[in-house]
Amino acid sequence: MLKEELLTQTQQSAIKRLKSLLICFLFLVLFIACNEKQSTIDQEIMGLMIDKYAVLPPPPPSINANDTIVDAFVADSLKSLKLKIGVWTKMQNTIGESALNSIPKEYLTLYKKSKKENIIEDATPLISRKGHTTFIVDTLQVKKSMDFKGFDLLFNISKIYNNTSRNLAIFELGISQSRLSGSSAVYCLKKDNGSWKVETVIETVIW
């Protein structure tokens, strides 16, 4: 009888340990799945922003005020250029405080300050449908010079904040031609029929 009781207690303990391990495993799977889904969303959004905003500024207007055809031709030509896009590795955990009062309420509720900064370790998944080349910049090298070497534009994006349905997103993006020429803005995006669209743009800094 005693042996049977001991065996039953051992079996119960084994079952409890198995349940605990199973619960931990399920939480781990869910955590990995959520991270992978967020990573995919980040890649989709960054690819969209690169294709939408990776354009060099046009040259100064022609001396001849009537010569608008050449200027329009140059502007269109710039849009078709295939650029080298440097991507800053850290996705900062804050967005411009000056923009908070202008952000639509449905997007403002998504933004929550976090101590954690996301890190972009590989730019390969950031696919440009327009043929732009993307890569992670050497941040130490970038800080050594006022002008960028080896790429045309630098994209510096904050952490991307989503709602639970993953169809709304808010973040800040800075685009620079050099350390002395660039601008940043807060972007509010909505996913409609499977595609992300920019709903609101709020400028934050120009340098």
Side-chain angles (χ1 to χ4, degrees), residues 77-185:
S77 298
L78 288 173
K79 293 180 182 179
S80 63
L81 286 178
K82 304 296 186 284
L83 304 178
K84 291 183 178 179
I85 308 300
V87 179
W88 195 261
T89 182
K90 287 186 178 180
M91 301 175 72
Q92 298 179 4
N93 53 7
T94 59
I95 61 178
E97 297 290 331
S98 60
L100 295 182
N101 293 332
S102 303
I103 297 173
K105 187 176 180 181
E106 63 178 334
Y107 290 96
L108 186 59
T109 56
L110 307 181
Y111 172 56
K112 296 178 181 179
K113 289 184 180 179
S114 168
K115 293 182 179 179
K116 183 181 178 182
E117 290 183 335
N118 289 3
I119 302 295
I120 305 172
E121 297 179 347
D122 182 14
T124 304
L126 307 180
I127 299 173
S128 167
R129 295 183 179 181
K130 292 186 176 181
H132 300 306
T133 303
T134 59
F135 62 94
I136 301 298
V137 298
D138 185 332
T139 55
L140 294 178
Q141 289 297 324
V142 170
K143 292 177 180 179
K144 288 180 179 179
S145 175
M146 290 299 176
D147 296 319
F148 298 150
K149 297 178 181 179
F151 57 95
D152 301 298
L153 294 173
L154 175 64
F155 274 57
N156 187 348
I157 192 168
S158 75
K159 185 175 180 180
I160 298 174
Y161 298 87
N162 299 105
N163 60 344
T164 53
S165 299
R166 308 290 178 131
N167 64 345
L168 297 177
I170 181 173
F171 56 91
E172 186 170 14
L173 171 65
I175 304 174
S176 311
Q177 273 189 282
S178 73
R179 290 181 63 190
L180 297 177
S181 177
S183 63
S184 64

Side-chain angles (χ1 to χ4, degrees), residues 56-72:
L56 294 177
S62 172
I63 297 176
N64 184 352
N66 296 321
D67 193 3
T68 58
I69 297 177
V70 174
D71 291 341

